[in-house]
Amino acid sequence: MKIAIGCDHGGYELKTKIVEYLDERNYEYNDFGCYSTESVDYPIFARIVADKVASGEFDRGILICGTGIGVSIVANKVKGIRCALVHDTKSAEFTRLHNDSNVLAMGGRIIDHQLALEITKIWLSTEFEGGRHINRINMIERSQ
Ligand code: RB5
């Protein structure tokens, strides 16, 4: 699984921890920035990651800004992207099972960082359930 990851300054600290987590577990990923806490515009980084996933070059994306809201709004404007803003483990599991979400968004200033790592673990390891949810995913695609 190839993962594209990106953040703005508000998500930089948490992104660093998630990148460490991905390294430790030998995930294949590319970090598309930003690379410091200097103020940047989150739509730039969210769009890069969303495009990488939508094009098929990467299988999944992870986006972090201060709240997670800005990056999720941007990502969900890209056709083929189903970005889930997640701040609890149950949602992490069910957005994979039911929505086949391909981008995970979190707020680095909102969530406890240890919990964010647990969410990342669950989101990366849970498979789409398929079945009755396939038609619903197709309905989302047709509405874009
Ligand atoms: C940056 O200050 C902040 O607006 C951004 O990280 C994010 O929370 C936007 O939704």
Side-chain angles (χ1 to χ4, degrees):
M1 181 195 303
K2 284 180 74 180
I3 302 162
I5 186 164
C7 70
D8 75 351
H9 54 288
Y12 175 73
E13 198 188 319
L14 176 55
K15 188 197 69 178
T16 303
K17 293 176 184 171
I18 293 175
V19 162
E20 275 173 25
Y21 175 88
L22 297 177
D23 274 331
E24 282 164 15
R25 280 147 190 87
N26 291 317
Y27 275 104
E28 192 181 348
Y29 70 90
N30 206 325
D31 180 356
F32 291 97
C34 67
Y35 304 111
S36 78
T37 54
E38 191 181 326
S39 183
V40 292
D41 298 319
Y42 63 82
I44 294 171
F45 301 92
R47 185 65 200 233
I48 291 169
V49 167
D51 284 344
K52 293 287 179 189
V53 175
S55 71
E57 193 181 338
F58 287 78
D59 304 299
R60 303 269 195 95
I62 300 175
L63 284 168
I64 307 135
C65 64
T67 59
I69 297 170
V71 289
S72 65
I73 290 171
V74 174
N76 276 317
K77 287 189 174 297
V78 175
K79 189 167 173 54
I81 294 301
R82 293 178 300 282
C83 176
L85 173 57
V86 175
H87 287 143
D88 68 279
T89 54
K90 197 78 177 166
S91 301
E93 181 186 1
F94 275 88
T95 190
R96 285 291 311 135
L97 288 171
H98 290 187
N99 314 126
D100 195 19
S101 54
N102 49 14
V103 177
L104 170 67
M106 292 182 285
R109 292 172 176 160
I110 301 292
I111 192 173
D112 173 82
H113 288 185
Q114 201 52 46
L115 174 59
L117 293 177
E118 185 62 24
I119 285 168
T120 302
K121 177 183 172 188
I122 292 167
W123 187 78
L124 287 174
S125 61
T126 305
E127 293 301 324
F128 178 46
E129 198 173 273
R132 68 188 186 281
H133 299 291
I134 294 172
N135 189 41
R136 294 166 185 166
I137 300 302
N138 290 338
M139 288 170 80
I140 295 172
E141 296 311 316
R142 285 199 296 275
S143 69
Q144 268 185 322

